[in-house]
Amino acid sequence: MKAKQYGFGIIGAGIISDIHARAINAIENAKLVGVFSINKNKSQAWAYKNNCTSYDSLDEMVNNPEIDIVCICTPSGIHFEPAIKCIEAGKHCVIEKPLEVTLEKCDRIIEASDRAGVKTAVIFPSRFYEASKQVKKAIDENRFGNMVLGDAYVKWSRSEAYYNSAAWRGTWELDGGGALMNQGIHSVDLLQWYMGRVESVQAMSANVKHKGIEVEDTVVSTLKFANGALGTIECSTAVFPGTFKRVEIMGTSGTAILEESSLIKWQFEKEASEDETILKNMSTGNLSHGGVSNPADISFAGHQRQLEDMILSIETGKKPLIDAIDGRKSVEIVLAIYESCRTGRRVALPGL
């Protein structure tokens, strides 16, 4: 029997939509059906380039029975309305990070998905790298012992042209924040996946270079995790020339350091037979330059694996690896850090 072909629609026709298109085209049982953008000329040009249909309205897209899954690639603060429309039309949704820029909108997307009985996932491709999965496996096997430190460093470069390229960039309303909400949130997601619930944060932010934007281009935060471990986040788009994002996980019995999609340290008190092979196979060959200084310079491999995970979720009835509930967690942490930056106080996150 021939495998079902899953039809994909894309909302938005910007840089990240191209990554989604490449990921969809790489999946054997997936097909890119069409695109919708409020900019009709942009939508038509994108559709021509990607050999698919340009829809004149979102209603026209969601009413097409050939489309099973919609990828929402609009600016961060414009995820809510298209997500609700797609969900209520019975379409499964893959939403680019962050899920939304307020917890209220995140919660309403989650509730709508539950009511409609559809799957909703949030794009965090870093979780799908083999090195990232090895770290999670070692944590689940308690190889780190008691967790001590969980740290994330995202020190990137963005030009003035980047922020000037679209009116929504660098705004509270539509970008939801600056370096942390837009660039650093991938590492925030990894940290909470590895370390568990964040209990409290204390933070400071600054705008060092990009004076024309409303939001921060640099932020530093300390974190206390519910398991007793501590951590830090350092994030910037103001540094030259920028470096790969880095996540360090350290416990009483082991240490792992991820640099983009590579493991650069993998050492445990109790060695396992596969440790040397894991480090050898995963210590080189980053899949891309990670968007360090160019937001388009990223691999579609993580997106492909995440879209494949969504298809598997639909076929098996299991939840996607990163569903909307998971996607909400990183938004909550980022918003708590921003509150601490505004007030100068430690901010506690509610226990769930």
Side-chain angles (χ1 to χ4, degrees), residues 1 3 63 76-77 81 93 109 119 135 140-141 150 152 174 190 197 212 220 241 258 274 285 305 331:
M1 184 181 295
N63 287 328
S76 303
E81 289 186 3
C93 282
I109 292 171
K119 308 286 187 184
V135 175
D140 292 343
E141 293 172 351
L174 298 181
L190 279 182
R197 188 176 72 81
V220 175
L258 278 166
E274 68 271 18
R305 292 167 191 168
V331 176

Coordinates of all heavy atoms in Angstrom, one line a residue, residues 1 3 63 76-77 81 93 109 119 135 140-141 150 152 174 190 197 212 220 241 258 274 285 305 331:
M1 N 0.8 -1.2 0.0 CA 0.0 0.0 0.0 C 0.9 1.2 0.0 O 1.8 1.3 0.8 CB -0.9 0.0 1.2 CG -1.9 1.2 1.3 SD -2.9 1.2 2.8 CE -3.9 -0.4 2.5
A3 N 2.2 4.8 0.9 CA 2.1 5.7 2.0 C 1.3 6.9 1.7 O 1.4 7.5 0.6 CB 3.5 6.0 2.5
N63 N -9.4 25.9 3.4 CA -10.5 25.1 2.9 C -10.1 24.1 1.8 O -10.9 23.3 1.3 CB -11.6 26.0 2.3 CG -12.4 26.8 3.4 OD1 -12.6 26.3 4.5 ND2 -12.8 28.0 3.1
S76 N 6.6 36.8 14.8 CA 6.3 36.1 16.0 C 4.9 36.6 16.6 O 4.2 35.8 17.2 CB 7.4 36.3 17.0 OG 8.6 35.9 16.5
G77 N 4.7 37.9 16.6 CA 3.5 38.4 17.2 C 2.3 38.3 16.3 O 1.2 38.8 16.7
E81 N -3.6 34.6 15.2 CA -4.8 34.5 14.4 C -4.7 33.5 13.3 O -5.7 32.7 13.1 CB -5.1 35.9 13.8 CG -5.5 36.9 14.8 CD -5.9 38.3 14.2 OE1 -5.9 38.4 13.0 OE2 -6.3 39.2 15.0
C93 N -1.0 22.0 12.9 CA -0.1 23.3 12.8 C 1.3 23.0 13.3 O 1.5 22.4 14.3 CB -0.7 24.4 13.6 SG -2.2 25.2 12.8
I109 N -4.1 29.2 22.0 CA -3.7 28.2 20.9 C -3.8 26.8 21.4 O -4.3 25.9 20.8 CB -2.3 28.5 20.4 CG1 -2.3 29.9 19.6 CG2 -1.8 27.4 19.5 CD1 -1.0 30.4 19.2
K119 N -3.1 18.3 16.1 CA -1.7 18.4 16.6 C -1.1 19.8 16.3 O -1.3 20.3 15.2 CB -0.8 17.4 15.9 CG -1.3 15.9 16.0 CD -1.2 15.3 17.3 CE -1.6 13.8 17.3 NZ -1.6 13.2 18.6
V135 N 22.7 14.0 24.6 CA 22.7 14.7 25.9 C 21.4 14.4 26.7 O 21.5 14.0 27.9 CB 22.9 16.2 25.8 CG1 22.8 16.9 27.1 CG2 24.2 16.6 25.1
D140 N 18.5 11.4 31.0 CA 17.5 10.4 31.4 C 18.0 9.2 32.1 O 17.4 8.5 32.9 CB 16.6 10.1 30.2 CG 15.8 11.2 29.7 OD1 15.6 12.2 30.4 OD2 15.3 11.2 28.5
E141 N 19.3 8.8 31.7 CA 19.9 7.7 32.3 C 20.7 8.0 33.6 O 21.4 7.2 34.2 CB 20.9 7.0 31.3 CG 20.2 6.4 30.1 CD 21.1 6.0 29.0 OE1 22.3 6.3 29.1 OE2 20.6 5.3 28.1
G150 N 23.5 24.6 34.3 CA 23.0 24.5 33.0 C 23.1 25.9 32.4 O 22.4 26.9 32.8
A152 N 23.7 28.6 28.8 CA 23.5 28.8 27.4 C 24.1 30.1 27.0 O 23.9 31.2 27.7 CB 22.0 28.8 27.1
L174 N 5.5 42.8 17.8 CA 5.5 41.8 16.8 C 6.7 40.9 16.8 O 6.6 39.7 16.4 CB 5.4 42.4 15.4 CG 4.2 43.2 15.1 CD1 4.2 43.8 13.7 CD2 2.9 42.4 15.3
L190 N 16.3 24.3 24.8 CA 17.2 23.2 25.2 C 17.5 23.2 26.7 O 17.5 22.1 27.3 CB 18.6 23.4 24.4 CG 18.6 22.9 23.0 CD1 20.0 23.0 22.4 CD2 18.2 21.4 22.8
R197 N 12.2 22.3 35.1 CA 11.5 23.5 35.3 C 12.4 24.6 35.9 O 13.2 24.3 36.8 CB 10.3 23.3 36.2 CG 9.4 24.5 36.4 CD 8.2 24.2 37.2 NE 8.5 24.0 38.6 CZ 8.7 25.0 39.5 NH1 8.6 26.3 39.1 NH2 9.0 24.8 40.8
G212 N 18.3 51.8 17.1 CA 17.0 52.1 16.4 C 15.9 51.2 16.7 O 14.8 51.3 16.2
V220 N 21.7 39.2 30.0 CA 22.3 38.2 30.8 C 21.4 37.9 32.0 O 20.8 38.8 32.6 CB 23.7 38.8 31.4 CG1 24.3 37.8 32.4 CG2 24.7 39.1 30.3
P241 N 32.8 38.8 15.7 CA 31.9 38.5 14.5 C 30.8 37.5 14.9 O 30.0 37.1 14.0 CB 32.9 37.8 13.6 CG 33.9 37.1 14.6 CD 34.0 38.0 15.8
L258 N 27.6 21.3 24.2 CA 27.2 21.4 22.8 C 27.6 22.7 22.2 O 27.4 23.8 22.8 CB 25.6 21.3 22.7 CG 25.0 19.9 22.8 CD1 23.5 20.1 23.1 CD2 25.2 19.1 21.5
E274 N 30.4 3.2 24.7 CA 30.1 4.0 23.5 C 30.6 5.4 23.6 O 30.5 6.2 22.6 CB 28.6 3.9 23.2 CG 27.7 4.7 24.2 CD 27.2 3.8 25.3 OE1 27.9 2.8 25.6 OE2 26.3 4.2 26.0
G285 N 31.7 18.7 12.2 CA 30.7 18.7 11.1 C 29.4 19.4 11.5 O 28.3 18.8 11.3
R305 N 13.5 17.0 10.2 CA 13.3 16.0 11.2 C 12.1 16.3 12.1 O 11.3 15.4 12.5 CB 14.5 15.8 12.1 CG 15.7 15.2 11.3 CD 17.0 15.3 12.1 NE 18.1 15.0 11.3 CZ 19.4 15.3 11.6 NH1 19.7 15.9 12.8 NH2 20.4 14.9 10.8
V331 N 8.6 30.4 26.2 CA 8.1 31.8 26.2 C 7.9 32.3 27.6 O 8.2 33.4 28.0 CB 6.7 31.8 25.5 CG1 6.1 33.2 25.6 CG2 6.9 31.4 24.0

